[in-house]
Amino acid sequence: MEKLLIKGGNSLSGKISCSGAKNAALPMIASTILSNESVVLKNLPYLQDITTMFELLGSMGAEILLDENMDFTISSFDLKDIQARYELVKTMRASILVLGPLVAKYGKARIALPGGCAIGSRPVNYHLDALKQLGAKIKLKNGYIEASANKLVGSNIRFDGVTVTGTENIMMAATLAQGVTVLTNVAKEPEIIDLADMLNSMGADIKGAGTDEITIKGVNELFGTSFTIPADRIEAGTYLVAAAVTNGSITIDSINPNRLMKVINMIERSGPKISFDDNSISISMDKDRPDPVDITTAPFPEFPTDMQAQFSVINAISRGVSNIYETVFENRFMHILELNRMGCDIEVKGNHAIIKGVESIYGAEVMATDLRASASLILAGLCAKGETVVDRIYHIDRGYERIEEKLNYLGANIVRLPS
Ligand code: UD1
């Protein structure tokens, strides 16, 4: 298994660009199933999760072509097989995103039930309950979700809990339902708006994405489009933390700061100066150590759970005590044990981490457990004294495009060690 060797202590400086957002791209790729024509996607990030989504569509009979501009043309309009097998679903839970489109377009789907994962049980009951309310029949058999419907019918649906991929799944399904669907208690993440924009460009009629209520008027068919994946707000937030913990001064290009305003505010509170315009963010950390900042994760526009592990590194080296409350996922503190092995002083009590800032942390051999945990270990390695080796970095390759290349460009010293 490949590892990353990080020699800590370098201050980051310079300018980098954000890649396309994984969490915007995955539902967009799934949404091509709804179209009667080919769809072109631009600025797709080169990531393992994107490859897995392509593998999944390919296994169902979709044709995917890459041109010289690195744009992908996806033809998913004539699928032969409408199932997502366990081999693929177990490696990426977001495979569930093909459920809504398949039932809406083909009247049936067979999707392996995603199991547990490193950050908690992550059930899909909200997706299934909402799909039932659109008229689908759902059976669970041999570890698979078997869904069928002659024609989905619009309905008023209130989600029992806020779910990002659940909102996306049902929004996609409702585009081809008969009549009007009104979704409430929905997720408001920027990626929901991105998906609605793309679906509308394919001929859908969706209003209210990004607000508390989404209204979808069903249409008979959807058509091809050409759509550019917006930049990854979590990648941008991760590089902001990298600058904050290395006393760095960097600019991140091609990112709309409104997508991560809460993250910007909280990082700013810890000491760095941050400025931004419509399309870039600059950060400069002059203080020798950050101030501690309490954070509580919650759905957008609150502090994202996907930035919790990274932010904990700021607190770990801060001048004081801070609290992090993780309210979105159970068991999302796997990085803490590894951080403590690097000299951090963090105690976990259920969904609450109490962090006592320490003056210095030290390099160690550590193990990545999930995508964002891996990012936090790399950030810790950047500000630690000595060498850190992060094992199981296949997690990081699922969600960060060329992370060591980008960080090295800013002055870090990271080497990818072969298996
Ligand atoms: C998405 C993101 C992930 C992010 C998460 C929360 C993608 C591909 N992934 O994941 O990066 O960390 O949002 O911002 O966009 N839940 C249920 N039943 C359900 C669905 C969810 O109980 O049917 C619970 C989950 O266990 C979790 C909470 O709801 O506690 C939120 O999960 P959800 O928003 O669905 O996360 P994902 O969409 O899987």
Side-chain angles (χ1 to χ4, degrees), residues 16 401-410 414:
I16 44 164
E401 191 175 52
R402 299 181 288 116
I403 189 165
E404 75 269 29
E405 240 178 80
K406 289 193 184 186
L407 288 170
N408 284 344
Y409 184 72
L410 295 173
I414 308 180

Side-chain angles (χ1 to χ4, degrees), residues 60-87:
M60 296 192 281
E63 193 179 87
I64 296 145
L65 296 173
L66 175 62
D67 70 17
E68 64 282 4
N69 299 318
M70 300 302 281
D71 297 339
F72 286 84
T73 301
I74 308 167
S75 306
S76 310
F77 45 78
D78 189 19
L79 300 184
K80 309 283 181 257
D81 189 8
I82 45 63
Q83 66 175 332
R85 293 198 177 82
Y86 184 60
E87 298 88 80

Side-chain angles (χ1 to χ4, degrees), residues 19-80:
S19 299
K22 165 180 89 74
N23 286 356
L26 292 173
M28 287 177 178
I29 297 172
S31 78
T32 63
I33 294 173
L34 295 162
S35 171
N36 279 344
E37 295 173 345
S38 300
V39 170
V40 176
L41 288 180
K42 296 169 184 279
N43 197 35
L44 269 173
Y46 178 63
L47 298 172
Q48 185 55 47
D49 273 10
I50 301 298
T51 311
T52 304
M53 197 54 135
F54 279 150
E55 249 183 90
L56 176 56
L57 286 195
S59 74
M60 296 192 281
E63 193 179 87
I64 296 145
L65 296 173
L66 175 62
D67 70 17
E68 64 282 4
N69 299 318
M70 300 302 281
D71 297 339
F72 286 84
T73 301
I74 308 167
S75 306
S76 310
F77 45 78
D78 189 19
L79 300 184
K80 309 283 181 257

Side-chain angles (χ1 to χ4, degrees), residues 23 122-127 162-165 305-306 328-329 332:
N23 286 356
R122 299 185 80 172
V124 291
N125 53 321
Y126 302 154
H127 302 235
V162 177
T163 162
V164 175
T165 49
T305 174
D306 283 352
V328 179
F329 288 113
R332 206 174 192 179

Side-chain angles (χ1 to χ4, degrees), residues 87-99:
E87 298 88 80
L88 288 172
V89 177
K90 75 175 181 199
T91 64
M92 188 184 68
R93 291 180 40 84
S95 309
I96 190 74
L97 283 165
V98 299
L99 174 65

Side-chain angles (χ1 to χ4, degrees), residues 247-279:
N247 300 97
S249 177
I250 69 168
T251 295
I252 305 168
D253 249 352
S254 351
I255 177 76
N256 174 350
N258 292 324
R259 292 181 163 243
L260 67 158
M261 212 31 98
K262 190 75 183 187
V263 172
I264 291 176
N265 291 341
M266 294 315 232
I267 295 178
E268 215 168 16
R269 242 185 244 187
S270 76
K273 292 192 184 71
I274 301 185
S275 58
F276 46 80
D277 57 28
D278 290 350
N279 198 39

Side-chain angles (χ1 to χ4, degrees), residues 47 57 95 108 112 124 149 177 189 192 211 227 229 262 275 309 358 383 394 398 410:
L47 298 172
L57 286 195
S95 309
K108 56 187 177 173
V124 291
E189 269 64 5
I192 305 280
T211 73
F227 208 84
I229 314 292
K262 190 75 183 187
S275 58
V358 294
C383 60
Y394 55 85
R398 290 186 50 196
L410 295 173

Side-chain angles (χ1 to χ4, degrees), residues 63-64 76 78 92 116 128 180 193 212 220 222 236 248 281 335 365 367 375 382 393 408-409:
E63 193 179 87
I64 296 145
S76 310
D78 189 19
M92 188 184 68
L128 302 187
V180 178
I193 306 176
D212 291 318
N220 286 333
L222 294 183
I281 309 173
H335 52 290
E365 287 179 54
M367 187 97 86
L382 291 178
I393 53 159
N408 284 344
Y409 184 72

